[in-house]
Amino acid sequence: MPPLAAAVIALIGLIALFSAVWAWQLRSENAGMVDPIWAHSLGLVAALYAMLGTGDPVARALTALGGLVWGARLGTHLWKRNAGKPEDARYQRFRAEWGDKAASRMFWFFQLQVVISMLLSIAFLVPSYRGTAPAVGWMLLAVVVWIVSVAGEAMADRQLRNFKADQANRDAVCRVGLWRYSRHPNYFFECVHWLAYIALSIGTPWGWFTLLPPVLMAFLLLKVSGIPLLEESMAKGRPGYADYMRTTSALIPWPPRH
């Protein structure tokens, strides 16, 4: 199947899915469940492209496996974190700011997730349609980057989860493990994950398109919906977080400043 046709199928499926999730949150009044759905669905898009793609079988297999496992791990983590809990502060803020227009604006916010997913899915589309197998060195690099990024993000998520589970840390700032060196090590490894598909795409005419997903992810986390919104509420509501911001790198792990 041509790549454009595969992308159209993915687009239609995502629009339908996020429209259904929007209708669901109208009843649950918890838009935070869009986060795990986003991760799971994007992993499925990777498998879709690999299945419909006409490229090298090895590149397609690595793309499908990488996207599926990444999406399953992240989506399951977010589901466990959000299910049965109050709505994330970011979405509560949107509802308060949008007032009576919250329902309609939330619909378009959910559709924005479709646009972001389609742009990120370029990382899966390009290697699924490469005509020749990637060089062994590039494949090994892609696998190493993927393992380091997914394992690192899982470690950061586990360290924060264990820290929060201890009632003694209820109002404390997490500075254990990776969180001593970065305020958002999970976000850092999330950005690194998208670099793996660049290595799988090197040597193809359209390989440079795979530079977009990691740049887009870093921009969203650093400037839009990730760090800015999260830290605004954390700095106001958690004692010691302002000091944590002054001494600790925002994204890239680095020894803390004194």
PDB file of all heavy atoms in Angstrom, residues 198-225:
ATOM      1  N   ILE A 198      15.439   7.652  13.631  1.00  0.00           N
ATOM      2  CA  ILE A 198      16.332   8.347  12.704  1.00  0.00           C
ATOM      3  C   ILE A 198      17.397   7.377  12.210  1.00  0.00           C
ATOM      4  O   ILE A 198      17.693   7.301  11.014  1.00  0.00           O
ATOM      5  CB  ILE A 198      16.982   9.564  13.379  1.00  0.00           C
ATOM      6  CG1 ILE A 198      15.924  10.595  13.772  1.00  0.00           C
ATOM      7  CG2 ILE A 198      18.023  10.201  12.451  1.00  0.00           C
ATOM      8  CD1 ILE A 198      16.483  11.803  14.507  1.00  0.00           C
ATOM      9  N   ALA A 199      17.967   6.610  13.142  1.00  0.00           N
ATOM     10  CA  ALA A 199      18.997   5.638  12.771  1.00  0.00           C
ATOM     11  C   ALA A 199      18.435   4.586  11.808  1.00  0.00           C
ATOM     12  O   ALA A 199      19.144   4.132  10.899  1.00  0.00           O
ATOM     13  CB  ALA A 199      19.555   4.968  14.028  1.00  0.00           C
ATOM     14  N   LEU A 200      17.180   4.209  11.993  1.00  0.00           N
ATOM     15  CA  LEU A 200      16.570   3.224  11.093  1.00  0.00           C
ATOM     16  C   LEU A 200      16.286   3.795   9.713  1.00  0.00           C
ATOM     17  O   LEU A 200      16.066   3.030   8.762  1.00  0.00           O
ATOM     18  CB  LEU A 200      15.259   2.705  11.684  1.00  0.00           C
ATOM     19  CG  LEU A 200      15.334   1.623  12.760  1.00  0.00           C
ATOM     20  CD1 LEU A 200      13.928   1.234  13.190  1.00  0.00           C
ATOM     21  CD2 LEU A 200      16.090   0.401  12.264  1.00  0.00           C
ATOM     22  N   SER A 201      16.282   5.108   9.581  1.00  0.00           N
ATOM     23  CA  SER A 201      15.894   5.750   8.320  1.00  0.00           C
ATOM     24  C   SER A 201      17.068   6.319   7.545  1.00  0.00           C
ATOM     25  O   SER A 201      16.884   6.796   6.413  1.00  0.00           O
ATOM     26  CB  SER A 201      14.876   6.871   8.607  1.00  0.00           C
ATOM     27  OG  SER A 201      13.753   6.371   9.309  1.00  0.00           O
ATOM     28  N   ILE A 202      18.253   6.333   8.121  1.00  0.00           N
ATOM     29  CA  ILE A 202      19.422   6.887   7.434  1.00  0.00           C
ATOM     30  C   ILE A 202      19.709   6.082   6.170  1.00  0.00           C
ATOM     31  O   ILE A 202      19.690   4.854   6.175  1.00  0.00           O
ATOM     32  CB  ILE A 202      20.641   6.893   8.371  1.00  0.00           C
ATOM     33  CG1 ILE A 202      20.454   7.975   9.439  1.00  0.00           C
ATOM     34  CG2 ILE A 202      21.946   7.127   7.609  1.00  0.00           C
ATOM     35  CD1 ILE A 202      21.549   8.022  10.458  1.00  0.00           C
ATOM     36  N   GLY A 203      19.954   6.809   5.090  1.00  0.00           N
ATOM     37  CA  GLY A 203      20.210   6.160   3.805  1.00  0.00           C
ATOM     38  C   GLY A 203      19.005   6.140   2.892  1.00  0.00           C
ATOM     39  O   GLY A 203      19.091   5.641   1.764  1.00  0.00           O
ATOM     40  N   THR A 204      17.876   6.705   3.366  1.00  0.00           N
ATOM     41  CA  THR A 204      16.676   6.782   2.528  1.00  0.00           C
ATOM     42  C   THR A 204      16.462   8.232   2.090  1.00  0.00           C
ATOM     43  O   THR A 204      16.864   9.174   2.791  1.00  0.00           O
ATOM     44  CB  THR A 204      15.432   6.304   3.293  1.00  0.00           C
ATOM     45  OG1 THR A 204      15.163   7.215   4.368  1.00  0.00           O
ATOM     46  CG2 THR A 204      15.658   4.915   3.873  1.00  0.00           C
ATOM     47  N   PRO A 205      15.819   8.445   0.942  1.00  0.00           N
ATOM     48  CA  PRO A 205      15.608   9.820   0.460  1.00  0.00           C
ATOM     49  C   PRO A 205      14.804  10.685   1.430  1.00  0.00           C
ATOM     50  O   PRO A 205      14.992  11.898   1.477  1.00  0.00           O
ATOM     51  CB  PRO A 205      14.848   9.609  -0.862  1.00  0.00           C
ATOM     52  CG  PRO A 205      15.184   8.220  -1.287  1.00  0.00           C
ATOM     53  CD  PRO A 205      15.336   7.439  -0.014  1.00  0.00           C
ATOM     54  N   TRP A 206      13.918  10.048   2.185  1.00  0.00           N
ATOM     55  CA  TRP A 206      13.039  10.795   3.090  1.00  0.00           C
ATOM     56  C   TRP A 206      13.483  10.690   4.544  1.00  0.00           C
ATOM     57  O   TRP A 206      12.744  11.067   5.442  1.00  0.00           O
ATOM     58  CB  TRP A 206      11.597  10.294   2.955  1.00  0.00           C
ATOM     59  CG  TRP A 206      11.092  10.346   1.557  1.00  0.00           C
ATOM     60  CD1 TRP A 206      10.951   9.296   0.688  1.00  0.00           C
ATOM     61  CD2 TRP A 206      10.684  11.506   0.839  1.00  0.00           C
ATOM     62  NE1 TRP A 206      10.469   9.722  -0.524  1.00  0.00           N
ATOM     63  CE2 TRP A 206      10.300  11.088  -0.465  1.00  0.00           C
ATOM     64  CE3 TRP A 206      10.612  12.871   1.151  1.00  0.00           C
ATOM     65  CZ2 TRP A 206       9.849  11.971  -1.437  1.00  0.00           C
ATOM     66  CZ3 TRP A 206      10.155  13.748   0.181  1.00  0.00           C
ATOM     67  CH2 TRP A 206       9.787  13.307  -1.084  1.00  0.00           C
ATOM     68  N   GLY A 207      14.680  10.204   4.762  1.00  0.00           N
ATOM     69  CA  GLY A 207      15.147   9.988   6.125  1.00  0.00           C
ATOM     70  C   GLY A 207      15.191  11.243   6.972  1.00  0.00           C
ATOM     71  O   GLY A 207      14.966  11.188   8.191  1.00  0.00           O
ATOM     72  N   TRP A 208      15.461  12.385   6.321  1.00  0.00           N
ATOM     73  CA  TRP A 208      15.574  13.619   7.106  1.00  0.00           C
ATOM     74  C   TRP A 208      14.243  14.025   7.741  1.00  0.00           C
ATOM     75  O   TRP A 208      14.223  14.784   8.703  1.00  0.00           O
ATOM     76  CB  TRP A 208      16.112  14.748   6.234  1.00  0.00           C
ATOM     77  CG  TRP A 208      15.247  15.122   5.083  1.00  0.00           C
ATOM     78  CD1 TRP A 208      15.219  14.542   3.836  1.00  0.00           C
ATOM     79  CD2 TRP A 208      14.266  16.160   5.058  1.00  0.00           C
ATOM     80  NE1 TRP A 208      14.281  15.146   3.040  1.00  0.00           N
ATOM     81  CE2 TRP A 208      13.689  16.152   3.757  1.00  0.00           C
ATOM     82  CE3 TRP A 208      13.824  17.089   5.976  1.00  0.00           C
ATOM     83  CZ2 TRP A 208      12.684  17.040   3.375  1.00  0.00           C
ATOM     84  CZ3 TRP A 208      12.823  17.984   5.612  1.00  0.00           C
ATOM     85  CH2 TRP A 208      12.266  17.948   4.324  1.00  0.00           C
ATOM     86  N   PHE A 209      13.104  13.486   7.229  1.00  0.00           N
ATOM     87  CA  PHE A 209      11.807  13.792   7.836  1.00  0.00           C
ATOM     88  C   PHE A 209      11.731  13.266   9.277  1.00  0.00           C
ATOM     89  O   PHE A 209      10.951  13.788  10.085  1.00  0.00           O
ATOM     90  CB  PHE A 209      10.679  13.168   7.009  1.00  0.00           C
ATOM     91  CG  PHE A 209      10.207  14.031   5.876  1.00  0.00           C
ATOM     92  CD1 PHE A 209      10.517  13.705   4.570  1.00  0.00           C
ATOM     93  CD2 PHE A 209       9.462  15.177   6.118  1.00  0.00           C
ATOM     94  CE1 PHE A 209      10.082  14.499   3.516  1.00  0.00           C
ATOM     95  CE2 PHE A 209       9.020  15.975   5.068  1.00  0.00           C
ATOM     96  CZ  PHE A 209       9.339  15.637   3.761  1.00  0.00           C
ATOM     97  N   THR A 210      12.510  12.236   9.591  1.00  0.00           N
ATOM     98  CA  THR A 210      12.448  11.660  10.935  1.00  0.00           C
ATOM     99  C   THR A 210      13.128  12.550  11.975  1.00  0.00           C
ATOM    100  O   THR A 210      13.100  12.216  13.165  1.00  0.00           O
ATOM    101  CB  THR A 210      13.089  10.262  10.955  1.00  0.00           C
ATOM    102  OG1 THR A 210      14.436  10.334  10.475  1.00  0.00           O
ATOM    103  CG2 THR A 210      12.304   9.296  10.101  1.00  0.00           C
ATOM    104  N   LEU A 211      13.714  13.660  11.551  1.00  0.00           N
ATOM    105  CA  LEU A 211      14.230  14.640  12.513  1.00  0.00           C
ATOM    106  C   LEU A 211      13.088  15.390  13.195  1.00  0.00           C
ATOM    107  O   LEU A 211      13.242  15.899  14.308  1.00  0.00           O
ATOM    108  CB  LEU A 211      15.149  15.645  11.813  1.00  0.00           C
ATOM    109  CG  LEU A 211      16.461  15.106  11.235  1.00  0.00           C
ATOM    110  CD1 LEU A 211      17.133  16.189  10.402  1.00  0.00           C
ATOM    111  CD2 LEU A 211      17.390  14.646  12.347  1.00  0.00           C
ATOM    112  N   LEU A 212      11.942  15.451  12.528  1.00  0.00           N
ATOM    113  CA  LEU A 212      10.812  16.224  13.066  1.00  0.00           C
ATOM    114  C   LEU A 212      10.275  15.675  14.377  1.00  0.00           C
ATOM    115  O   LEU A 212      10.065  16.449  15.326  1.00  0.00           O
ATOM    116  CB  LEU A 212       9.692  16.301  12.026  1.00  0.00           C
ATOM    117  CG  LEU A 212       8.386  16.967  12.498  1.00  0.00           C
ATOM    118  CD1 LEU A 212       8.640  18.421  12.870  1.00  0.00           C
ATOM    119  CD2 LEU A 212       7.314  16.867  11.412  1.00  0.00           C
ATOM    120  N   PRO A 213       9.997  14.355  14.505  1.00  0.00           N
ATOM    121  CA  PRO A 213       9.397  13.862  15.751  1.00  0.00           C
ATOM    122  C   PRO A 213      10.179  14.185  17.027  1.00  0.00           C
ATOM    123  O   PRO A 213       9.571  14.684  17.990  1.00  0.00           O
ATOM    124  CB  PRO A 213       9.289  12.350  15.506  1.00  0.00           C
ATOM    125  CG  PRO A 213       9.121  12.241  14.033  1.00  0.00           C
ATOM    126  CD  PRO A 213      10.007  13.292  13.464  1.00  0.00           C
ATOM    127  N   PRO A 214      11.506  13.948  17.115  1.00  0.00           N
ATOM    128  CA  PRO A 214      12.183  14.300  18.367  1.00  0.00           C
ATOM    129  C   PRO A 214      12.197  15.804  18.635  1.00  0.00           C
ATOM    130  O   PRO A 214      12.100  16.228  19.795  1.00  0.00           O
ATOM    131  CB  PRO A 214      13.602  13.747  18.187  1.00  0.00           C
ATOM    132  CG  PRO A 214      13.767  13.546  16.726  1.00  0.00           C
ATOM    133  CD  PRO A 214      12.410  13.238  16.197  1.00  0.00           C
ATOM    134  N   VAL A 215      12.305  16.607  17.579  1.00  0.00           N
ATOM    135  CA  VAL A 215      12.277  18.064  17.765  1.00  0.00           C
ATOM    136  C   VAL A 215      10.900  18.503  18.244  1.00  0.00           C
ATOM    137  O   VAL A 215      10.778  19.337  19.166  1.00  0.00           O
ATOM    138  CB  VAL A 215      12.648  18.783  16.452  1.00  0.00           C
ATOM    139  CG1 VAL A 215      12.432  20.286  16.576  1.00  0.00           C
ATOM    140  CG2 VAL A 215      14.103  18.497  16.082  1.00  0.00           C
ATOM    141  N   LEU A 216       9.858  17.955  17.643  1.00  0.00           N
ATOM    142  CA  LEU A 216       8.495  18.294  18.054  1.00  0.00           C
ATOM    143  C   LEU A 216       8.235  17.881  19.490  1.00  0.00           C
ATOM    144  O   LEU A 216       7.654  18.649  20.277  1.00  0.00           O
ATOM    145  CB  LEU A 216       7.491  17.609  17.124  1.00  0.00           C
ATOM    146  CG  LEU A 216       6.014  17.749  17.495  1.00  0.00           C
ATOM    147  CD1 LEU A 216       5.589  19.206  17.488  1.00  0.00           C
ATOM    148  CD2 LEU A 216       5.135  16.917  16.551  1.00  0.00           C
ATOM    149  N   MET A 217       8.659  16.668  19.856  1.00  0.00           N
ATOM    150  CA  MET A 217       8.434  16.207  21.218  1.00  0.00           C
ATOM    151  C   MET A 217       9.160  17.087  22.222  1.00  0.00           C
ATOM    152  O   MET A 217       8.597  17.463  23.263  1.00  0.00           O
ATOM    153  CB  MET A 217       8.893  14.751  21.351  1.00  0.00           C
ATOM    154  CG  MET A 217       8.699  14.169  22.751  1.00  0.00           C
ATOM    155  SD  MET A 217       6.978  14.212  23.336  1.00  0.00           S
ATOM    156  CE  MET A 217       6.222  13.019  22.232  1.00  0.00           C
ATOM    157  N   ALA A 218      10.404  17.440  21.934  1.00  0.00           N
ATOM    158  CA  ALA A 218      11.161  18.306  22.844  1.00  0.00           C
ATOM    159  C   ALA A 218      10.493  19.674  22.972  1.00  0.00           C
ATOM    160  O   ALA A 218      10.400  20.239  24.071  1.00  0.00           O
ATOM    161  CB  ALA A 218      12.598  18.454  22.348  1.00  0.00           C
ATOM    162  N   PHE A 219       9.997  20.215  21.864  1.00  0.00           N
ATOM    163  CA  PHE A 219       9.326  21.517  21.891  1.00  0.00           C
ATOM    164  C   PHE A 219       8.055  21.465  22.730  1.00  0.00           C
ATOM    165  O   PHE A 219       7.795  22.353  23.558  1.00  0.00           O
ATOM    166  CB  PHE A 219       8.997  21.960  20.467  1.00  0.00           C
ATOM    167  CG  PHE A 219       8.180  23.220  20.400  1.00  0.00           C
ATOM    168  CD1 PHE A 219       8.762  24.451  20.642  1.00  0.00           C
ATOM    169  CD2 PHE A 219       6.822  23.172  20.109  1.00  0.00           C
ATOM    170  CE1 PHE A 219       8.004  25.623  20.588  1.00  0.00           C
ATOM    171  CE2 PHE A 219       6.064  24.324  20.057  1.00  0.00           C
ATOM    172  CZ  PHE A 219       6.658  25.555  20.296  1.00  0.00           C
ATOM    173  N   LEU A 220       7.252  20.429  22.532  1.00  0.00           N
ATOM    174  CA  LEU A 220       6.002  20.304  23.287  1.00  0.00           C
ATOM    175  C   LEU A 220       6.261  20.172  24.783  1.00  0.00           C
ATOM    176  O   LEU A 220       5.572  20.794  25.605  1.00  0.00           O
ATOM    177  CB  LEU A 220       5.216  19.094  22.797  1.00  0.00           C
ATOM    178  CG  LEU A 220       4.634  19.183  21.381  1.00  0.00           C
ATOM    179  CD1 LEU A 220       4.033  17.855  20.974  1.00  0.00           C
ATOM    180  CD2 LEU A 220       3.602  20.293  21.291  1.00  0.00           C
ATOM    181  N   LEU A 221       7.260  19.379  25.151  1.00  0.00           N
ATOM    182  CA  LEU A 221       7.541  19.149  26.568  1.00  0.00           C
ATOM    183  C   LEU A 221       8.190  20.357  27.225  1.00  0.00           C
ATOM    184  O   LEU A 221       7.913  20.658  28.390  1.00  0.00           O
ATOM    185  CB  LEU A 221       8.424  17.918  26.728  1.00  0.00           C
ATOM    186  CG  LEU A 221       7.780  16.580  26.348  1.00  0.00           C
ATOM    187  CD1 LEU A 221       8.782  15.442  26.479  1.00  0.00           C
ATOM    188  CD2 LEU A 221       6.557  16.294  27.218  1.00  0.00           C
ATOM    189  N   LEU A 222       9.048  21.040  26.485  1.00  0.00           N
ATOM    190  CA  LEU A 222       9.786  22.168  27.061  1.00  0.00           C
ATOM    191  C   LEU A 222       9.003  23.480  27.039  1.00  0.00           C
ATOM    192  O   LEU A 222       9.153  24.302  27.941  1.00  0.00           O
ATOM    193  CB  LEU A 222      11.107  22.367  26.324  1.00  0.00           C
ATOM    194  CG  LEU A 222      12.242  21.397  26.653  1.00  0.00           C
ATOM    195  CD1 LEU A 222      13.368  21.546  25.651  1.00  0.00           C
ATOM    196  CD2 LEU A 222      12.758  21.623  28.066  1.00  0.00           C
ATOM    197  N   LYS A 223       8.175  23.659  26.023  1.00  0.00           N
ATOM    198  CA  LYS A 223       7.581  24.980  25.812  1.00  0.00           C
ATOM    199  C   LYS A 223       6.053  25.021  25.861  1.00  0.00           C
ATOM    200  O   LYS A 223       5.481  26.099  26.008  1.00  0.00           O
ATOM    201  CB  LYS A 223       8.027  25.528  24.445  1.00  0.00           C
ATOM    202  CG  LYS A 223       9.529  25.680  24.292  1.00  0.00           C
ATOM    203  CD  LYS A 223      10.104  26.694  25.281  1.00  0.00           C
ATOM    204  CE  LYS A 223      11.594  26.905  25.051  1.00  0.00           C
ATOM    205  NZ  LYS A 223      12.162  27.880  26.034  1.00  0.00           N
ATOM    206  N   VAL A 224       5.387  23.875  25.726  1.00  0.00           N
ATOM    207  CA  VAL A 224       3.929  23.928  25.573  1.00  0.00           C
ATOM    208  C   VAL A 224       3.215  23.246  26.734  1.00  0.00           C
ATOM    209  O   VAL A 224       2.906  23.865  27.747  1.00  0.00           O
ATOM    210  CB  VAL A 224       3.497  23.313  24.216  1.00  0.00           C
ATOM    211  CG1 VAL A 224       1.988  23.489  24.012  1.00  0.00           C
ATOM    212  CG2 VAL A 224       4.241  23.996  23.069  1.00  0.00           C
ATOM    213  N   SER A 225       2.951  21.952  26.614  1.00  0.00           N
ATOM    214  CA  SER A 225       2.058  21.286  27.561  1.00  0.00           C
ATOM    215  C   SER A 225       2.752  20.453  28.622  1.00  0.00           C
ATOM    216  O   SER A 225       2.103  19.894  29.492  1.00  0.00           O
ATOM    217  CB  SER A 225       1.086  20.372  26.792  1.00  0.00           C
ATOM    218  OG  SER A 225       1.809  19.345  26.135  1.00  0.00           O
TER     219      SER A 225
END
